[in-house]
Amino acid sequence: MYSYLELKNDTFNEINVKFCGIQECSANYAYGPAIRSHYLIHYCLNGKGYYHVHDKIYSVEAGQAFLIYPDDTTFYRADEKDPWTYLWIGFDGDKAEYYCRQCGFSSIEHVIACRLDKEIKSCVESMITHHQMSYSNELFIQGQLYLFFSYLSQNQPYFHKKDTIKSNNIYIVKAIQFIQNNYQNKISVQDLADYLSLNRSYLSALFKKHLKTTPQSFLLQYRMNKARDLLVDTDLPINQIAYSCGYANQLAFSKAFHHTYDSSPSQYRKSNQLKNGQILIK
């Protein structure tokens, strides 16, 4: 499967689509090393692969996106046994970097998580469908681009432009972004402190001051909230949900979930999917 659309649209100076596409890759399919003159986001729909940038290698799986910055030398490759299917959007504009930051991307964080496969895929498919250029389609594609960014940024903290962020609070912003982007991995409070170059005790004090909780409790609650959504909104097996939320085994995950919601994951799924009128798949 391969679908592609290239655009020549300079109507919107703030941000505009250069091209987009969807591709089901074969085993070990690779691109690069190459340099782009624009921004490019890939979103993995299924399977997995590897993204190389700045002497780092990122493992990217379904529900994750990676960003290529202009003028960066990058290389990416599909996994040998479970090659990815991904979609991509290339874009540019005066505020392109701003929108990337709102999604959690930075020169440090090149990969983010966002488990809205159907919604994000729909944006690109809709762009490709409206390939015949007209002012109406230009507006439609621009709308889909903003929708694409709204999905990617859904887990990011919001701060009003008029808000004054104290110097200590910026660590909290970065800490939350780190947890949002890495909760599915085996991370600890010490990993968070190391990332921020802070003493662990000082980090805990910041969390208690600004969020009225501890870093460990915040991480646990964030994982449990994600697990709850996956139980209700998907039919993924519980062991896969456990892995997707940073747990090495289902038993540890089930204990944490029961402690948080006073219900086992299977009981919670059954009760809440039935409340929502969903059909359970066994």
Side-chain angles (χ1 to χ4, degrees), residues 1 9 36 64 66 116 121 125 127 136 146-147 155 159 170 182 188 198 202 243 247 256 270 276:
M1 178 185 72
N9 176 13
R36 307 282 189 166
Q64 292 183 310
F66 65 89
L116 291 175
K121 184 179 180 182
E125 288 178 334
M127 289 181 183
S136 173
Y146 285 124
L147 194 57
N155 293 325
F159 294 98
I170 198 66
N182 295 280
S188 65
L198 294 178
Y202 182 59
Y243 299 145
Y247 287 87
K270 182 176 181 180
N276 291 342

mmCIF file with all atom_site columns, all heavy atoms in Angstrom, residues 1 9 36 64 66 116 121 125 127 136 146-147 155 159 170 182 188 198 202 243 247 256 270 276:
data_model
loop_
_atom_site.group_PDB
_atom_site.id
_atom_site.type_symbol
_atom_site.label_atom_id
_atom_site.label_alt_id
_atom_site.label_comp_id
_atom_site.label_asym_id
_atom_site.label_entity_id
_atom_site.label_seq_id
_atom_site.pdbx_PDB_ins_code
_atom_site.Cartn_x
_atom_site.Cartn_y
_atom_site.Cartn_z
_atom_site.occupancy
_atom_site.B_iso_or_equiv
_atom_site.pdbx_formal_charge
_atom_site.auth_seq_id
_atom_site.auth_comp_id
_atom_site.auth_asym_id
_atom_site.auth_atom_id
_atom_site.pdbx_PDB_model_num
ATOM 1   N N   . MET A 1 1   ? 0.846   -1.191  0.000  1.00 0.00 ? 1   MET A N   1
ATOM 2   C CA  . MET A 1 1   ? 0.000   0.000   0.000  1.00 0.00 ? 1   MET A CA  1
ATOM 3   C C   . MET A 1 1   ? 0.882   1.242   0.000  1.00 0.00 ? 1   MET A C   1
ATOM 4   O O   . MET A 1 1   ? 1.822   1.337   0.784  1.00 0.00 ? 1   MET A O   1
ATOM 5   C CB  . MET A 1 1   ? -0.889  0.019   1.252  1.00 0.00 ? 1   MET A CB  1
ATOM 6   C CG  . MET A 1 1   ? -1.768  1.263   1.345  1.00 0.00 ? 1   MET A CG  1
ATOM 7   S SD  . MET A 1 1   ? -2.686  1.332   2.906  1.00 0.00 ? 1   MET A SD  1
ATOM 8   C CE  . MET A 1 1   ? -1.378  1.721   4.046  1.00 0.00 ? 1   MET A CE  1
ATOM 9   N N   . ASN A 1 9   ? 1.537   24.967  -2.340 1.00 0.00 ? 9   ASN A N   1
ATOM 10  C CA  . ASN A 1 9   ? 0.546   25.853  -1.743 1.00 0.00 ? 9   ASN A CA  1
ATOM 11  C C   . ASN A 1 9   ? 1.251   26.856  -0.841 1.00 0.00 ? 9   ASN A C   1
ATOM 12  O O   . ASN A 1 9   ? 1.747   26.505  0.225  1.00 0.00 ? 9   ASN A O   1
ATOM 13  C CB  . ASN A 1 9   ? -0.464  25.028  -0.933 1.00 0.00 ? 9   ASN A CB  1
ATOM 14  C CG  . ASN A 1 9   ? -1.471  25.904  -0.210 1.00 0.00 ? 9   ASN A CG  1
ATOM 15  O OD1 . ASN A 1 9   ? -1.576  27.092  -0.491 1.00 0.00 ? 9   ASN A OD1 1
ATOM 16  N ND2 . ASN A 1 9   ? -2.200  25.319  0.724  1.00 0.00 ? 9   ASN A ND2 1
ATOM 17  N N   . ARG A 1 36  ? 16.562  17.048  4.838  1.00 0.00 ? 36  ARG A N   1
ATOM 18  C CA  . ARG A 1 36  ? 15.326  17.681  4.349  1.00 0.00 ? 36  ARG A CA  1
ATOM 19  C C   . ARG A 1 36  ? 15.438  19.200  4.481  1.00 0.00 ? 36  ARG A C   1
ATOM 20  O O   . ARG A 1 36  ? 16.123  19.711  5.366  1.00 0.00 ? 36  ARG A O   1
ATOM 21  C CB  . ARG A 1 36  ? 14.130  17.209  5.171  1.00 0.00 ? 36  ARG A CB  1
ATOM 22  C CG  . ARG A 1 36  ? 14.004  15.690  5.268  1.00 0.00 ? 36  ARG A CG  1
ATOM 23  C CD  . ARG A 1 36  ? 13.414  15.104  4.016  1.00 0.00 ? 36  ARG A CD  1
ATOM 24  N NE  . ARG A 1 36  ? 13.092  13.692  4.195  1.00 0.00 ? 36  ARG A NE  1
ATOM 25  C CZ  . ARG A 1 36  ? 12.327  12.993  3.368  1.00 0.00 ? 36  ARG A CZ  1
ATOM 26  N NH1 . ARG A 1 36  ? 11.835  13.571  2.286  1.00 0.00 ? 36  ARG A NH1 1
ATOM 27  N NH2 . ARG A 1 36  ? 12.091  11.714  3.600  1.00 0.00 ? 36  ARG A NH2 1
ATOM 28  N N   . GLN A 1 64  ? 3.333   5.986   17.963 1.00 0.00 ? 64  GLN A N   1
ATOM 29  C CA  . GLN A 1 64  ? 4.390   6.963   18.179 1.00 0.00 ? 64  GLN A CA  1
ATOM 30  C C   . GLN A 1 64  ? 4.691   7.711   16.879 1.00 0.00 ? 64  GLN A C   1
ATOM 31  O O   . GLN A 1 64  ? 4.497   7.178   15.788 1.00 0.00 ? 64  GLN A O   1
ATOM 32  C CB  . GLN A 1 64  ? 5.663   6.293   18.694 1.00 0.00 ? 64  GLN A CB  1
ATOM 33  C CG  . GLN A 1 64  ? 5.535   5.723   20.101 1.00 0.00 ? 64  GLN A CG  1
ATOM 34  C CD  . GLN A 1 64  ? 6.843   5.138   20.601 1.00 0.00 ? 64  GLN A CD  1
ATOM 35  O OE1 . GLN A 1 64  ? 7.487   4.342   19.921 1.00 0.00 ? 64  GLN A OE1 1
ATOM 36  N NE2 . GLN A 1 64  ? 7.244   5.519   21.801 1.00 0.00 ? 64  GLN A NE2 1
ATOM 37  N N   . PHE A 1 66  ? 7.651   10.463  14.956 1.00 0.00 ? 66  PHE A N   1
ATOM 38  C CA  . PHE A 1 66  ? 8.976   11.075  15.047 1.00 0.00 ? 66  PHE A CA  1
ATOM 39  C C   . PHE A 1 66  ? 9.071   12.242  14.078 1.00 0.00 ? 66  PHE A C   1
ATOM 40  O O   . PHE A 1 66  ? 8.452   12.252  13.012 1.00 0.00 ? 66  PHE A O   1
ATOM 41  C CB  . PHE A 1 66  ? 10.100  10.056  14.823 1.00 0.00 ? 66  PHE A CB  1
ATOM 42  C CG  . PHE A 1 66  ? 10.173  9.426   13.462 1.00 0.00 ? 66  PHE A CG  1
ATOM 43  C CD1 . PHE A 1 66  ? 10.907  10.018  12.441 1.00 0.00 ? 66  PHE A CD1 1
ATOM 44  C CD2 . PHE A 1 66  ? 9.535   8.224   13.200 1.00 0.00 ? 66  PHE A CD2 1
ATOM 45  C CE1 . PHE A 1 66  ? 11.006  9.431   11.190 1.00 0.00 ? 66  PHE A CE1 1
ATOM 46  C CE2 . PHE A 1 66  ? 9.617   7.616   11.952 1.00 0.00 ? 66  PHE A CE2 1
ATOM 47  C CZ  . PHE A 1 66  ? 10.358  8.226   10.943 1.00 0.00 ? 66  PHE A CZ  1
ATOM 48  N N   . LEU A 1 116 ? -3.900  7.818   18.682 1.00 0.00 ? 116 LEU A N   1
ATOM 49  C CA  . LEU A 1 116 ? -5.129  8.165   17.961 1.00 0.00 ? 116 LEU A CA  1
ATOM 50  C C   . LEU A 1 116 ? -4.958  7.759   16.501 1.00 0.00 ? 116 LEU A C   1
ATOM 51  O O   . LEU A 1 116 ? -5.064  8.572   15.578 1.00 0.00 ? 116 LEU A O   1
ATOM 52  C CB  . LEU A 1 116 ? -5.418  9.666   18.080 1.00 0.00 ? 116 LEU A CB  1
ATOM 53  C CG  . LEU A 1 116 ? -5.820  10.164  19.477 1.00 0.00 ? 116 LEU A CG  1
ATOM 54  C CD1 . LEU A 1 116 ? -5.947  11.679  19.486 1.00 0.00 ? 116 LEU A CD1 1
ATOM 55  C CD2 . LEU A 1 116 ? -7.157  9.548   19.904 1.00 0.00 ? 116 LEU A CD2 1
ATOM 56  N N   . LYS A 1 121 ? -4.828  8.968   10.895 1.00 0.00 ? 121 LYS A N   1
ATOM 57  C CA  . LYS A 1 121 ? -4.850  8.392   9.547  1.00 0.00 ? 121 LYS A CA  1
ATOM 58  C C   . LYS A 1 121 ? -5.925  9.054   8.698  1.00 0.00 ? 121 LYS A C   1
ATOM 59  O O   . LYS A 1 121 ? -5.728  9.317   7.500  1.00 0.00 ? 121 LYS A O   1
ATOM 60  C CB  . LYS A 1 121 ? -5.102  6.892   9.627  1.00 0.00 ? 121 LYS A CB  1
ATOM 61  C CG  . LYS A 1 121 ? -5.049  6.195   8.272  1.00 0.00 ? 121 LYS A CG  1
ATOM 62  C CD  . LYS A 1 121 ? -5.287  4.698   8.405  1.00 0.00 ? 121 LYS A CD  1
ATOM 63  C CE  . LYS A 1 121 ? -5.225  4.004   7.058  1.00 0.00 ? 121 LYS A CE  1
ATOM 64  N NZ  . LYS A 1 121 ? -5.512  2.553   7.171  1.00 0.00 ? 121 LYS A NZ  1
ATOM 65  N N   . GLU A 1 125 ? -5.568  10.669  4.914  1.00 0.00 ? 125 GLU A N   1
ATOM 66  C CA  . GLU A 1 125 ? -6.409  10.118  3.851  1.00 0.00 ? 125 GLU A CA  1
ATOM 67  C C   . GLU A 1 125 ? -7.314  11.200  3.264  1.00 0.00 ? 125 GLU A C   1
ATOM 68  O O   . GLU A 1 125 ? -7.532  11.247  2.039  1.00 0.00 ? 125 GLU A O   1
ATOM 69  C CB  . GLU A 1 125 ? -7.248  8.970   4.400  1.00 0.00 ? 125 GLU A CB  1
ATOM 70  C CG  . GLU A 1 125 ? -6.449  7.715   4.682  1.00 0.00 ? 125 GLU A CG  1
ATOM 71  C CD  . GLU A 1 125 ? -7.284  6.599   5.280  1.00 0.00 ? 125 GLU A CD  1
ATOM 72  O OE1 . GLU A 1 125 ? -8.315  6.903   5.926  1.00 0.00 ? 125 GLU A OE1 1
ATOM 73  O OE2 . GLU A 1 125 ? -6.920  5.424   5.114  1.00 0.00 ? 125 GLU A OE2 1
ATOM 74  N N   . MET A 1 127 ? -6.681  14.432  3.156  1.00 0.00 ? 127 MET A N   1
ATOM 75  C CA  . MET A 1 127 ? -5.839  15.309  2.335  1.00 0.00 ? 127 MET A CA  1
ATOM 76  C C   . MET A 1 127 ? -5.625  14.716  0.946  1.00 0.00 ? 127 MET A C   1
ATOM 77  O O   . MET A 1 127 ? -5.744  15.407  -0.070 1.00 0.00 ? 127 MET A O   1
ATOM 78  C CB  . MET A 1 127 ? -4.477  15.523  3.014  1.00 0.00 ? 127 MET A CB  1
ATOM 79  C CG  . MET A 1 127 ? -4.494  16.372  4.250  1.00 0.00 ? 127 MET A CG  1
ATOM 80  S SD  . MET A 1 127 ? -2.815  16.550  4.934  1.00 0.00 ? 127 MET A SD  1
ATOM 81  C CE  . MET A 1 127 ? -3.153  17.518  6.408  1.00 0.00 ? 127 MET A CE  1
ATOM 82  N N   . SER A 1 136 ? -11.110 25.834  -2.365 1.00 0.00 ? 136 SER A N   1
ATOM 83  C CA  . SER A 1 136 ? -11.881 25.057  -1.392 1.00 0.00 ? 136 SER A CA  1
ATOM 84  C C   . SER A 1 136 ? -11.047 23.921  -0.815 1.00 0.00 ? 136 SER A C   1
ATOM 85  O O   . SER A 1 136 ? -11.022 23.696  0.401  1.00 0.00 ? 136 SER A O   1
ATOM 86  C CB  . SER A 1 136 ? -13.145 24.494  -2.062 1.00 0.00 ? 136 SER A CB  1
ATOM 87  O OG  . SER A 1 136 ? -13.829 23.615  -1.183 1.00 0.00 ? 136 SER A OG  1
ATOM 88  N N   . TYR A 1 146 ? -4.321  21.386  10.762 1.00 0.00 ? 146 TYR A N   1
ATOM 89  C CA  . TYR A 1 146 ? -4.535  21.850  12.133 1.00 0.00 ? 146 TYR A CA  1
ATOM 90  C C   . TYR A 1 146 ? -5.131  20.731  12.991 1.00 0.00 ? 146 TYR A C   1
ATOM 91  O O   . TYR A 1 146 ? -4.779  20.577  14.165 1.00 0.00 ? 146 TYR A O   1
ATOM 92  C CB  . TYR A 1 146 ? -5.451  23.064  12.152 1.00 0.00 ? 146 TYR A CB  1
ATOM 93  C CG  . TYR A 1 146 ? -4.778  24.343  11.694 1.00 0.00 ? 146 TYR A CG  1
ATOM 94  C CD1 . TYR A 1 146 ? -5.296  25.102  10.654 1.00 0.00 ? 146 TYR A CD1 1
ATOM 95  C CD2 . TYR A 1 146 ? -3.615  24.795  12.316 1.00 0.00 ? 146 TYR A CD2 1
ATOM 96  C CE1 . TYR A 1 146 ? -4.680  26.267  10.240 1.00 0.00 ? 146 TYR A CE1 1
ATOM 97  C CE2 . TYR A 1 146 ? -2.985  25.966  11.903 1.00 0.00 ? 146 TYR A CE2 1
ATOM 98  C CZ  . TYR A 1 146 ? -3.535  26.695  10.865 1.00 0.00 ? 146 TYR A CZ  1
ATOM 99  O OH  . TYR A 1 146 ? -2.903  27.856  10.459 1.00 0.00 ? 146 TYR A OH  1
ATOM 100 N N   . LEU A 1 147 ? -6.019  19.941  12.395 1.00 0.00 ? 147 LEU A N   1
ATOM 101 C CA  . LEU A 1 147 ? -6.603  18.821  13.133 1.00 0.00 ? 147 LEU A CA  1
ATOM 102 C C   . LEU A 1 147 ? -5.533  17.797  13.482 1.00 0.00 ? 147 LEU A C   1
ATOM 103 O O   . LEU A 1 147 ? -5.520  17.239  14.591 1.00 0.00 ? 147 LEU A O   1
ATOM 104 C CB  . LEU A 1 147 ? -7.702  18.177  12.280 1.00 0.00 ? 147 LEU A CB  1
ATOM 105 C CG  . LEU A 1 147 ? -8.671  17.209  12.980 1.00 0.00 ? 147 LEU A CG  1
ATOM 106 C CD1 . LEU A 1 147 ? -9.377  17.894  14.141 1.00 0.00 ? 147 LEU A CD1 1
ATOM 107 C CD2 . LEU A 1 147 ? -9.695  16.688  11.979 1.00 0.00 ? 147 LEU A CD2 1
ATOM 108 N N   . ASN A 1 155 ? -2.005  15.490  24.616 1.00 0.00 ? 155 ASN A N   1
ATOM 109 C CA  . ASN A 1 155 ? -1.514  15.173  25.955 1.00 0.00 ? 155 ASN A CA  1
ATOM 110 C C   . ASN A 1 155 ? -0.585  16.230  26.531 1.00 0.00 ? 155 ASN A C   1
ATOM 111 O O   . ASN A 1 155 ? -0.047  16.049  27.613 1.00 0.00 ? 155 ASN A O   1
ATOM 112 C CB  . ASN A 1 155 ? -0.771  13.825  25.933 1.00 0.00 ? 155 ASN A CB  1
ATOM 113 C CG  . ASN A 1 155 ? -1.702  12.668  25.660 1.00 0.00 ? 155 ASN A CG  1
ATOM 114 O OD1 . ASN A 1 155 ? -2.843  12.667  26.092 1.00 0.00 ? 155 ASN A OD1 1
ATOM 115 N ND2 . ASN A 1 155 ? -1.226  11.673  24.922 1.00 0.00 ? 155 ASN A ND2 1
ATOM 116 N N   . PHE A 1 159 ? -0.699  26.222  28.701 1.00 0.00 ? 159 PHE A N   1
ATOM 117 C CA  . PHE A 1 159 ? -0.440  27.428  29.474 1.00 0.00 ? 159 PHE A CA  1
ATOM 118 C C   . PHE A 1 159 ? -0.901  28.622  28.645 1.00 0.00 ? 159 PHE A C   1
ATOM 119 O O   . PHE A 1 159 ? -0.511  28.774  27.496 1.00 0.00 ? 159 PHE A O   1
ATOM 120 C CB  . PHE A 1 159 ? 1.053   27.575  29.793 1.00 0.00 ? 159 PHE A CB  1
ATOM 121 C CG  . PHE A 1 159 ? 1.557   26.512  30.712 1.00 0.00 ? 159 PHE A CG  1
ATOM 122 C CD1 . PHE A 1 159 ? 2.213   25.402  30.199 1.00 0.00 ? 159 PHE A CD1 1
ATOM 123 C CD2 . PHE A 1 159 ? 1.356   26.609  32.069 1.00 0.00 ? 159 PHE A CD2 1
ATOM 124 C CE1 . PHE A 1 159 ? 2.677   24.416  31.047 1.00 0.00 ? 159 PHE A CE1 1
ATOM 125 C CE2 . PHE A 1 159 ? 1.819   25.630  32.925 1.00 0.00 ? 159 PHE A CE2 1
ATOM 126 C CZ  . PHE A 1 159 ? 2.478   24.529  32.416 1.00 0.00 ? 159 PHE A CZ  1
ATOM 127 N N   . ILE A 1 170 ? 9.146   25.684  35.178 1.00 0.00 ? 170 ILE A N   1
ATOM 128 C CA  . ILE A 1 170 ? 9.532   25.192  33.868 1.00 0.00 ? 170 ILE A CA  1
ATOM 129 C C   . ILE A 1 170 ? 10.041  23.758  33.974 1.00 0.00 ? 170 ILE A C   1
ATOM 130 O O   . ILE A 1 170 ? 9.909   22.958  33.045 1.00 0.00 ? 170 ILE A O   1
ATOM 131 C CB  . ILE A 1 170 ? 10.593  26.111  33.215 1.00 0.00 ? 170 ILE A CB  1
ATOM 132 C CG1 . ILE A 1 170 ? 10.665  25.870  31.699 1.00 0.00 ? 170 ILE A CG1 1
ATOM 133 C CG2 . ILE A 1 170 ? 11.952  25.926  33.858 1.00 0.00 ? 170 ILE A CG2 1
ATOM 134 C CD1 . ILE A 1 170 ? 9.413   26.265  30.968 1.00 0.00 ? 170 ILE A CD1 1
ATOM 135 N N   . ASN A 1 182 ? 7.292   9.215   27.509 1.00 0.00 ? 182 ASN A N   1
ATOM 136 C CA  . ASN A 1 182 ? 8.049   8.016   27.854 1.00 0.00 ? 182 ASN A CA  1
ATOM 137 C C   . ASN A 1 182 ? 7.339   7.087   28.830 1.00 0.00 ? 182 ASN A C   1
ATOM 138 O O   . ASN A 1 182 ? 7.947   6.112   29.283 1.00 0.00 ? 182 ASN A O   1
ATOM 139 C CB  . ASN A 1 182 ? 9.402   8.416   28.454 1.00 0.00 ? 182 ASN A CB  1
ATOM 140 C CG  . ASN A 1 182 ? 10.301  9.125   27.461 1.00 0.00 ? 182 ASN A CG  1
ATOM 141 O OD1 . ASN A 1 182 ? 10.948  8.501   26.634 1.00 0.00 ? 182 ASN A OD1 1
ATOM 142 N ND2 . ASN A 1 182 ? 10.330  10.448  27.544 1.00 0.00 ? 182 ASN A ND2 1
ATOM 143 N N   . SER A 1 188 ? 11.937  5.613   35.630 1.00 0.00 ? 188 SER A N   1
ATOM 144 C CA  . SER A 1 188 ? 11.831  5.788   37.076 1.00 0.00 ? 188 SER A CA  1
ATOM 145 C C   . SER A 1 188 ? 11.923  7.266   37.418 1.00 0.00 ? 188 SER A C   1
ATOM 146 O O   . SER A 1 188 ? 12.230  8.111   36.553 1.00 0.00 ? 188 SER A O   1
ATOM 147 C CB  . SER A 1 188 ? 12.964  5.030   37.777 1.00 0.00 ? 188 SER A CB  1
ATOM 148 O OG  . SER A 1 188 ? 14.218  5.600   37.423 1.00 0.00 ? 188 SER A OG  1
ATOM 149 N N   . LEU A 1 198 ? 18.437  17.425  37.869 1.00 0.00 ? 198 LEU A N   1
ATOM 150 C CA  . LEU A 1 198 ? 18.026  17.880  39.193 1.00 0.00 ? 198 LEU A CA  1
ATOM 151 C C   . LEU A 1 198 ? 18.281  16.790  40.225 1.00 0.00 ? 198 LEU A C   1
ATOM 152 O O   . LEU A 1 198 ? 18.257  15.600  39.905 1.00 0.00 ? 198 LEU A O   1
ATOM 153 C CB  . LEU A 1 198 ? 16.534  18.237  39.213 1.00 0.00 ? 198 LEU A CB  1
ATOM 154 C CG  . LEU A 1 198 ? 16.067  19.427  38.386 1.00 0.00 ? 198 LEU A CG  1
ATOM 155 C CD1 . LEU A 1 198 ? 14.550  19.563  38.506 1.00 0.00 ? 198 LEU A CD1 1
ATOM 156 C CD2 . LEU A 1 198 ? 16.747  20.712  38.841 1.00 0.00 ? 198 LEU A CD2 1
ATOM 157 N N   . TYR A 1 202 ? 14.992  17.453  45.331 1.00 0.00 ? 202 TYR A N   1
ATOM 158 C CA  . TYR A 1 202 ? 14.518  18.762  44.878 1.00 0.00 ? 202 TYR A CA  1
ATOM 159 C C   . TYR A 1 202 ? 13.377  18.607  43.884 1.00 0.00 ? 202 TYR A C   1
ATOM 160 O O   . TYR A 1 202 ? 12.398  19.368  43.917 1.00 0.00 ? 202 TYR A O   1
ATOM 161 C CB  . TYR A 1 202 ? 15.672  19.528  44.240 1.00 0.00 ? 202 TYR A CB  1
ATOM 162 C CG  . TYR A 1 202 ? 15.299  20.919  43.784 1.00 0.00 ? 202 TYR A CG  1
ATOM 163 C CD1 . TYR A 1 202 ? 14.804  21.858  44.685 1.00 0.00 ? 202 TYR A CD1 1
ATOM 164 C CD2 . TYR A 1 202 ? 15.436  21.290  42.456 1.00 0.00 ? 202 TYR A CD2 1
ATOM 165 C CE1 . TYR A 1 202 ? 14.459  23.142  44.278 1.00 0.00 ? 202 TYR A CE1 1
ATOM 166 C CE2 . TYR A 1 202 ? 15.097  22.569  42.030 1.00 0.00 ? 202 TYR A CE2 1
ATOM 167 C CZ  . TYR A 1 202 ? 14.608  23.491  42.952 1.00 0.00 ? 202 TYR A CZ  1
ATOM 168 O OH  . TYR A 1 202 ? 14.259  24.749  42.535 1.00 0.00 ? 202 TYR A OH  1
ATOM 169 N N   . TYR A 1 243 ? 2.095   -3.656  28.765 1.00 0.00 ? 243 TYR A N   1
ATOM 170 C CA  . TYR A 1 243 ? 3.354   -3.272  28.129 1.00 0.00 ? 243 TYR A CA  1
ATOM 171 C C   . TYR A 1 243 ? 3.282   -1.842  27.589 1.00 0.00 ? 243 TYR A C   1
ATOM 172 O O   . TYR A 1 243 ? 4.266   -1.092  27.663 1.00 0.00 ? 243 TYR A O   1
ATOM 173 C CB  . TYR A 1 243 ? 3.697   -4.230  26.985 1.00 0.00 ? 243 TYR A CB  1
ATOM 174 C CG  . TYR A 1 243 ? 3.891   -5.664  27.411 1.00 0.00 ? 243 TYR A CG  1
ATOM 175 C CD1 . TYR A 1 243 ? 3.499   -6.723  26.589 1.00 0.00 ? 243 TYR A CD1 1
ATOM 176 C CD2 . TYR A 1 243 ? 4.450   -5.987  28.650 1.00 0.00 ? 243 TYR A CD2 1
ATOM 177 C CE1 . TYR A 1 243 ? 3.670   -8.049  26.982 1.00 0.00 ? 243 TYR A CE1 1
ATOM 178 C CE2 . TYR A 1 243 ? 4.615   -7.309  29.042 1.00 0.00 ? 243 TYR A CE2 1
ATOM 179 C CZ  . TYR A 1 243 ? 4.220   -8.329  28.212 1.00 0.00 ? 243 TYR A CZ  1
ATOM 180 O OH  . TYR A 1 243 ? 4.388   -9.636  28.604 1.00 0.00 ? 243 TYR A OH  1
ATOM 181 N N   . TYR A 1 247 ? 4.675   -1.434  31.955 1.00 0.00 ? 247 TYR A N   1
ATOM 182 C CA  . TYR A 1 247 ? 4.813   -2.541  32.896 1.00 0.00 ? 247 TYR A CA  1
ATOM 183 C C   . TYR A 1 247 ? 5.418   -3.754  32.206 1.00 0.00 ? 247 TYR A C   1
ATOM 184 O O   . TYR A 1 247 ? 5.005   -4.127  31.100 1.00 0.00 ? 247 TYR A O   1
ATOM 185 C CB  . TYR A 1 247 ? 3.459   -2.898  33.502 1.00 0.00 ? 247 TYR A CB  1
ATOM 186 C CG  . TYR A 1 247 ? 2.981   -1.866  34.506 1.00 0.00 ? 247 TYR A CG  1
ATOM 187 C CD1 . TYR A 1 247 ? 2.261   -0.751  34.086 1.00 0.00 ? 247 TYR A CD1 1
ATOM 188 C CD2 . TYR A 1 247 ? 3.273   -1.998  35.853 1.00 0.00 ? 247 TYR A CD2 1
ATOM 189 C CE1 . TYR A 1 247 ? 1.849   0.215   34.994 1.00 0.00 ? 247 TYR A CE1 1
ATOM 190 C CE2 . TYR A 1 247 ? 2.862   -1.047  36.773 1.00 0.00 ? 247 TYR A CE2 1
ATOM 191 C CZ  . TYR A 1 247 ? 2.153   0.060   36.338 1.00 0.00 ? 247 TYR A CZ  1
ATOM 192 O OH  . TYR A 1 247 ? 1.747   1.011   37.241 1.00 0.00 ? 247 TYR A OH  1
ATOM 193 N N   . ALA A 1 256 ? -1.372  -2.791  40.299 1.00 0.00 ? 256 ALA A N   1
ATOM 194 C CA  . ALA A 1 256 ? -1.401  -1.332  40.321 1.00 0.00 ? 256 ALA A CA  1
ATOM 195 C C   . ALA A 1 256 ? -2.772  -0.803  39.911 1.00 0.00 ? 256 ALA A C   1
ATOM 196 O O   . ALA A 1 256 ? -3.293  0.152   40.507 1.00 0.00 ? 256 ALA A O   1
ATOM 197 C CB  . ALA A 1 256 ? -0.320  -0.774  39.393 1.00 0.00 ? 256 ALA A CB  1
ATOM 198 N N   . LYS A 1 270 ? -15.085 -4.745  31.208 1.00 0.00 ? 270 LYS A N   1
ATOM 199 C CA  . LYS A 1 270 ? -16.416 -5.295  30.997 1.00 0.00 ? 270 LYS A CA  1
ATOM 200 C C   . LYS A 1 270 ? -17.492 -4.320  31.435 1.00 0.00 ? 270 LYS A C   1
ATOM 201 O O   . LYS A 1 270 ? -18.458 -4.062  30.706 1.00 0.00 ? 270 LYS A O   1
ATOM 202 C CB  . LYS A 1 270 ? -16.566 -6.610  31.765 1.00 0.00 ? 270 LYS A CB  1
ATOM 203 C CG  . LYS A 1 270 ? -17.916 -7.285  31.563 1.00 0.00 ? 270 LYS A CG  1
ATOM 204 C CD  . LYS A 1 270 ? -17.953 -8.627  32.283 1.00 0.00 ? 270 LYS A CD  1
ATOM 205 C CE  . LYS A 1 270 ? -19.306 -9.321  32.072 1.00 0.00 ? 270 LYS A CE  1
ATOM 206 N NZ  . LYS A 1 270 ? -19.374 -10.625 32.758 1.00 0.00 ? 270 LYS A NZ  1
ATOM 207 N N   . ASN A 1 276 ? -20.875 1.941   27.845 1.00 0.00 ? 276 ASN A N   1
ATOM 208 C CA  . ASN A 1 276 ? -20.748 2.762   26.643 1.00 0.00 ? 276 ASN A CA  1
ATOM 209 C C   . ASN A 1 276 ? -21.431 2.134   25.427 1.00 0.00 ? 276 ASN A C   1
ATOM 210 O O   . ASN A 1 276 ? -21.376 2.682   24.330 1.00 0.00 ? 276 ASN A O   1
ATOM 211 C CB  . ASN A 1 276 ? -19.269 2.988   26.317 1.00 0.00 ? 276 ASN A CB  1
ATOM 212 C CG  . ASN A 1 276 ? -18.616 3.867   27.349 1.00 0.00 ? 276 ASN A CG  1
ATOM 213 O OD1 . ASN A 1 276 ? -19.288 4.572   28.094 1.00 0.00 ? 276 ASN A OD1 1
ATOM 214 N ND2 . ASN A 1 276 ? -17.285 3.825   27.406 1.00 0.00 ? 276 ASN A ND2 1
#
